[in-house]
Amino acid sequence: MLFRSSTQEALQLAFETQRAAYAREPLPSLAVRKDRLKRLIAMTRQHEQALCEAITEDFGHRAHQETLLAEVFTTITGAEHAIQHLRGWMRTRRMPTALHFMPGRNALMPQPLGVVGIISPWNYPYYLTTGPAIAALAAGNRVMIKPSELTPATSALLARMVSEHFSAEEMTVLTGDAELARAFSRSEEHTSE
C-alpha cells in the first residue's frame, strides 16, 4: 500500500531517514549516547514551564506540581540514571557455556535494534513518551514518536522541543490522528508495499 497523505509520507520519510542513519552508525559510542541523553535533560529543563502550561491546556486543569513531579522530575532522573549506568549496560558479558560446547565461550553483546517507534498514551503525555525514549537512546537506537492525538498542545510542544534539540536522524515526533497511529504501528513490510 502506497501512502497518499502528506502525514503518512512524512512518516515514511522519517523512517527511511533514521534507518539510513542507523546503517551509517549502527553502534553509537558511549559519548554519543550520553550526549543524546544530556540533550534530553536540557530540553526538559528548558521547557519545564511550557510543559506545565501545555498539559494544563490539554487536561482543562492539572496542578503544575503534579506535572513537575510525575513528568519532568521522572524524565530528568530517569535520564540521569541511564547516564550513570550506561557504561555497564554496554559492556560485553561472559555467559555460561554448556558442557557439550566446550572449549567454546559465550558472550552477551548488547546492540541497538535500529529505529524504535513509540506510540504514547494521553494520561501522562510527556513522561510516557520520554521514559521509553530514554531507554531507546541509551541502547543506541534512533527514535520515532507518535504522541496521543488527545493531547494536542503537549504533542505540538513535544514536536517543537525535539526538533530544536535533536536531528531528524536521532529522534523525531510525528503528530496526527488515529490513522497515523495505525500507519505508524504497521511493520516495515506493510509501509513500503
Side-chain angles (χ1 to χ4, degrees), residues 40-97:
L40 192 140
I41 291 169
M43 174 182 84
T44 302
R45 285 189 172 131
Q46 180 181 342
H47 297 282
E48 184 176 296
Q49 185 61 36
L51 281 165
C52 290
E53 292 167 6
I55 290 170
T56 294
E57 181 181 335
D58 285 334
F59 285 84
H61 178 71
R62 184 198 273 178
H64 284 351
Q65 294 82 357
E66 180 180 357
T67 298
L68 291 173
L69 178 63
E71 310 240 28
V72 172
F73 174 75
T74 52
T75 294
I76 291 170
T77 57
E80 289 171 342
H81 177 82
I83 289 169
Q84 183 180 8
H85 296 280
L86 193 51
R87 183 181 303 276
W89 293 344
M90 292 175 64
R91 186 173 298 132
T92 299
R93 294 175 197 75
R94 291 199 53 183
M95 301 301 290
T97 304

Side-chain angles (χ1 to χ4, degrees), residues 123-187:
N123 53 340
Y124 284 93
Y126 190 66
Y127 177 68
L128 293 178
T129 301
T130 57
I134 289 166
L137 292 171
N141 296 295
R142 311 301 168 136
V143 180
M144 291 178 56
I145 298 168
K146 176 9 193 130
S148 176
E149 63 274 10
L150 300 177
T151 55
T154 306
S155 297
L157 176 62
L158 179 64
R160 184 172 55 82
M161 290 166 55
V162 168
S163 69
E164 289 173 3
H165 293 268
F166 293 90
S167 77
E169 293 181 346
E170 296 172 313
M171 184 161 47
T172 191
V173 176
L174 297 158
T175 58
D177 59 10
E179 184 61 35
L180 175 63
R182 276 190 289 280
F184 193 93
S185 63
R186 285 190 193 120
S187 68

Side-chain angles (χ1 to χ4, degrees), residues 94-106:
R94 291 199 53 183
M95 301 301 290
T97 304
L99 186 60
H100 57 280
F101 289 115
M102 292 296 185
R105 293 185 181 176
N106 290 331

